[in-house]
Amino acid sequence: MSPLPEAELVRSSLQLYRYLLRCCRRLPQGHIQQHYRHTIRQSFKVHADEDDPERIQQIIKRAIEDADWVMNK
C-alpha cells in the first residue's frame, strides 16, 4: 500500500517530486515535516542530471517505497 493513491501515476522525476511533497503534508507539522521536505529537495538536486530511463524508474520505485515506510512509521 502506498502513502497516497496517486503513487501508481508517478512516471517522471517532476511527478515524483510533487508526490513526495504532498506526502510531507500528511506528516506532523514542525521539524519532521521540514526535515523530509529538505531531504526531498536535496535528493532531487542530486539526481537532476540522471538521464538513464531505467535508473530513473529505479529511483522512483525506491522513493515511493521509502515514502511508504516513513508514512507508516
Side-chain angles (χ1 to χ4, degrees):
M1 179 179 165
S2 19
L4 292 176
E6 302 94 31
E8 62 274 356
L9 302 176
V10 174
R11 299 281 183 249
S12 70
S13 55
L14 183 58
Q15 289 174 335
L16 176 65
Y17 183 73
R18 290 171 148 171
Y19 170 79
L20 293 173
L21 289 178
R22 282 193 301 271
C23 286
C24 275
R25 291 185 202 148
R26 298 178 66 197
L27 295 172
Q29 295 278 331
H31 296 295
I32 295 171
Q33 202 175 70
Q34 290 173 356
H35 168 76
Y36 284 108
R37 287 178 64 90
H38 176 75
T39 302
I40 292 165
R41 287 186 183 114
Q42 291 300 99
S43 294
F44 186 76
K45 289 177 186 177
V46 167
H47 296 292
D49 61 345
E50 188 65 57
D51 58 355
D52 179 22
E54 186 175 315
R55 176 70 178 131
I56 292 171
Q57 289 307 310
Q58 288 174 349
I59 293 169
I60 289 171
K61 183 177 184 274
R62 178 62 191 260
I64 291 172
E65 289 171 358
D66 290 348
D68 186 29
W69 183 83
V70 169
M71 298 303 288
N72 288 327
K73 182 177 161 186

